[in-house]
Structure formats: C-alpha cells, structure tokens
Amino acid sequence: EKGGYDHFMLKEIYEQPDAITDTYRGRMLVDEGIIRMAGVDDNIERIANAKRIIIVACGTSWHAGLVSEYIFEDLARIPVEVEYASEFRYRNPVIYENDVVIAISQSGETADTMAAIKLAKEKGAFVFGVCNVVGSSISRETNAGAYTHAGPEIGVASTKAFTTQITVLTLIALKLAKYRGTISDSDFRYHLQELDRIPAKISKVLEENEHVKIIAEKYKDAPNCLYLGRGYNFPVALEGALKLKEISYIHAEGYPAAEMKHGPIALIDEQMPVVVIATRKGHYEKVVSNVQEIKSRKGKIIGIVTEGDEAVRELADYVIEVPETMESLTPLLTTIPLQLLSYHIAVMLGKNVDQPRNLAKSVTVE
Ligand code: M6R
C-alpha cells in the first residue's frame, strides 16, 4: 500500500507531480487559455465582487491560505485576511454580507474550521470550501467549493494536500483576475503555461533527494532550527518549520527574513542551522543581505536557491537548487526540499514519521 516507499509521507511527497496534474486536469485548458471550475463559475459574480476575502483554516492549510493571500492580492486585487479558524470563531469578528469566506481543509473535518464556517454563514457571508476529502463535512457545509483531488493523504504530516491547495487557490485567483480585468490576456496565458510546467519541475527537485539526505545527516542533532523567507516564500518558511517540529520534534521557527533583526537574530550562533529560501525572483538582493547577517554571526546556512545561483552559494554551507519559475509559483517548488529535509531527519532520529506522537490526522475536537 506504500507503493515500495518506507513511509506514506515519502510516497505522498513523491506523488506531488501527479497530484498537482490531477488538480488542474480538466480545469485548466492551456491552449485555449481557459480555466473552468464549476464551483467558481456558478457563483462568479458573488465571488469576484467580494469586497474582501477571509480565509479560515488551521495548520498547514492555514499556510496554504497565507500563500494564496499573496496570489489573490497580487493578481485579483481583492483584499485578503487569513485567519486561524480557532481565533476567528471566538473573537466576535466583523463579517459583512459581501465578504467571501474561503475555508481550506484537507480532511474537511476540522472542528474549528467547521465552526468558523457556520459563524460566517450566520452572518450572511458566502462560504467557499477547498477540501481534499470528497463528501467531507466541510465540503457539505459550504455554499460552493473545489476539491483538491490530491488522492488520500495518510501521513499525518501534510504534504501533497498543501501543494494541491495552493494549486487550486492559484486557479481561483487567476479566474477572478480574468473576470475582474486585473490581469492581461497574455499574462493570464503565461501563468497557465508556467503552472503546467510545475509538475516536471517538482520531479526535478525530487532528484535532489540524496543531496538533501546528506544535509539531514549533518543537522539531525541540532536542538533548534530557523526557517526564513520573504514574500511568497514567507509562508513556506512557516510550513518548513511546522514540518520539522511535527515529525522530528526538533524545535523550529519560521520567520519573514527581515524580522530576524527584531529578535530571533539573538538565537544565532555556530550551532544554529538556518534554512533560507532565496529564489532569484523573490526580493533576492534583500534575502542575500539577510544571509550575510547570519553568516557574520556564524550561523549554519542552508539555502534554497534558483538553479545557477552564485551569491547565496558562496555564503551558504549547503544549497539546494530548484528550477526557475515565476515568483508566484515558487512555493510549489521551494516546499519540496523542506518536506524531504524534515522527513529524512525524522527517519534518522528513529521517529514515527507517519504517526507522530500527540497528533491525529484530522482534528475533530476543538
Ligand atoms: O484537515 P485540515 O487541513 O483541516 O487539517 C488542518 C491541520 O490539522 C493540519 O494541516 C496539520 O497542521 C498537519 N498535521 C500539518 O502537517
């Protein structure tokens, strides 16, 4: 059932090229320059004219929400708020009838996310669901939705659910941008072409597996680890840190790279591995100077860089290359080595990768 892999998590990491293809197959018609999604098409006016989008989710799904905040604002020019479902439901939030709430949940059973949806519906908002499990409670409670079609995710650590959620949300953002006229035709088509190239590029990143293993061996005994990124890759830093904590039990923190100087930089010494996402299109020069700051404090640097990178390579202890793509799609590539890194560290430490202690695959209690 694990298809020759030692763990479900590794199998699911390797399934991502196919899972993402399944997510956009039949929806994205690259040659025609069309995206079809019934749940969006049937409600396009309501969704595209939203004054605001509120995203509610937990854990990794919340991170996918954060990535999509950048995409929605950038492409469709709709203001977005991303909320932890558990905070949103209990803090008497301001919800308008012309708000659209997007709930993201792999399992479709998360109690806090479900409660947030019910609250939003009571206040008259339109609720759209992005779920993986077909027929799940959340998919039934929402006004409309789109499935991720990632296939069953068994490992407690979410991997392919995350990248397929980002894929679905990117398709929705592109559709809204087209309808609202905030994207040019040629840009729209270019996005579709680039998204279509992502599965092959992920396969290429997966070829770095042995190299990632060497890095895992080197840092597996570190008690702490920092993850830094900017822009689209700031949520990827959060996700990388969550993945490491949850399966290897190593304490890890994700930060926007520029926030380091407001506190976390005090943690850096020669023991501290710092994973920095420094792809060429995402505020590259700024990230390079953040890397220099870490270097001068003797931190150990693992750079996630674009193929052919020189500046970070010179400063870093290790780099992992990902192929070039447009900035908004980089999270789909930069996430992969972080999944592999936490996987290998957890295996080397003898942890129960697929069923980490104290955690359940779906959190049906608040
Ligand atoms: O099923 P959901 O997407 O609603 O689950 C939300 C979180 O419980 C989940 O993403 C959790 O954080 C994962 N174990 C992270 O890998």
Side-chain angles (χ1 to χ4, degrees):
E1 62 198 359
K2 292 183 196 142
Y5 291 95
D6 289 343
H7 300 94
F8 283 110
M9 182 182 176
L10 190 62
K11 172 171 178 267
E12 288 157 6
I13 291 172
Y14 272 83
E15 277 172 350
Q16 288 174 107
D18 288 342
I20 289 173
T21 310
D22 290 343
T23 299
Y24 66 62
R25 180 185 290 129
R27 288 172 165 163
M28 180 172 88
L29 310 179
V30 181
D31 296 337
E32 290 89 333
I34 295 173
I35 297 173
R36 286 193 307 222
M37 296 173 97
V40 182
D41 288 315
D42 296 348
N43 303 285
I44 188 75
E45 275 192 41
R46 181 76 170 88
I47 303 174
N49 293 321
K51 289 277 168 296
R52 179 172 69 151
I53 292 174
I54 303 172
I55 295 178
V56 294
C58 304
T60 289
S61 296
W62 183 77
H63 295 154
L66 282 181
V67 172
S68 72
E69 172 178 24
Y70 288 81
I71 305 176
F72 277 109
E73 294 203 343
D74 200 7
L75 300 181
R77 310 302 298 153
I78 304 174
V80 177
E81 320 239 356
V82 188
E83 303 261 6
Y84 284 116
S86 56
E87 286 298 313
F88 180 79
R89 63 180 287 202
Y90 282 122
R91 62 142 224 274
N92 191 17
V94 178
I95 307 171
Y96 300 111
E97 286 184 1
N98 55 15
D99 283 336
V100 166
V101 171
I102 301 181
I104 310 173
S105 176
Q106 187 286 129
S107 63
E109 302 297 341
T110 302
D112 281 319
T113 308
M114 184 56 138
I117 293 168
K118 290 190 171 150
L119 177 68
K121 276 173 73 182
E122 264 166 44
K123 306 272 181 198
F126 182 85
V127 184
F128 190 95
V130 176
C131 296
N132 189 42
V133 177
V134 176
S136 55
S137 308
I138 289 176
S139 70
R140 284 184 277 119
E141 186 69 28
T142 42
N143 299 107
Y147 286 114
T148 41
H149 298 308
E153 190 182 67
I154 311 292
V156 164
S158 187
T159 52
K160 62 178 179 170
F162 179 66
T163 46
T164 55
Q165 285 164 345
I166 295 174
T167 304
V168 163
L169 292 158
T170 301
L171 292 175
I172 298 172
L174 282 165
K175 270 188 86 68
L176 298 184
K178 191 163 192 203
Y179 187 85
R180 290 165 56 83
T182 52
I183 191 168
S184 70
D185 260 4
S186 59
D187 253 14
F188 181 82
R189 280 177 178 268
Y190 183 58
H191 270 84
L192 303 197
Q193 286 159 3
E194 283 294 296
L195 182 54
D196 199 30
R197 293 189 184 113
I198 287 293
K201 290 181 182 177
I202 292 180
S203 300
K204 193 128 190 264
V205 180
L206 290 168
E207 289 171 15
E208 295 294 299
N209 188 40
E210 288 306 313
H211 176 52
V212 177
K213 233 174 173 167
I214 294 169
I215 303 171
E217 182 63 48
K218 179 89 187 168
Y219 296 111
K220 66 180 194 316
D221 298 313
N224 297 288
C225 189
L226 266 182
Y227 287 75
L228 305 176
R230 296 178 88 112
Y232 283 95
N233 282 297
F234 154 54
V236 176
L238 297 181
E239 173 60 8
L242 175 60
K243 222 80 304 174
L244 188 68
K245 299 183 240 217
E246 111 178 285
I247 58 169
S248 73
Y249 319 145
I250 294 173
H251 171 242
E253 302 268 359
Y255 267 95
E259 272 293 306
M260 217 183 38
K261 57 182 164 301
H262 300 285
I265 199 163
L267 293 167
I268 293 178
D269 60 14
E270 54 288 334
Q271 312 296 327
M272 176 70 102
V274 186
V275 179
V276 188
I277 305 155
T279 45
R280 205 172 290 131
K281 284 180 186 149
H283 319 281
Y284 181 70
E285 308 301 327
K286 305 254 179 222
V287 181
V288 172
S289 48
N290 297 138
V291 172
Q292 270 154 348
E293 290 158 15
I294 303 164
K295 180 86 181 168
S296 61
R297 285 156 187 90
K298 303 197 169 56
K300 299 286 174 276
I301 299 154
I302 304 156
I304 311 298
V305 300
T306 311
E307 278 171 359
D309 177 277
E310 286 171 11
V312 176
R313 181 179 290 273
E314 221 165 81
L315 298 163
D317 296 84
Y318 291 93
V319 294
I320 305 169
E321 291 191 334
V322 301
E324 181 125 37
T325 186
M326 56 200 317
E327 192 190 349
S328 63
L329 298 175
T330 51
L332 294 171
L333 303 181
T334 52
T335 297
I336 311 295
L338 306 189
Q339 295 170 342
L340 288 171
L341 184 64
S342 56
Y343 171 79
H344 289 303
I345 289 179
V347 171
M348 287 167 187
L349 295 177
K351 306 300 182 204
N352 187 344
V353 172
D354 283 334
Q355 280 182 301
R357 67 185 183 199
N358 310 340
L359 286 168
K361 183 62 184 163
S362 56
V363 183
T364 52
V365 291
E366 66 167 281

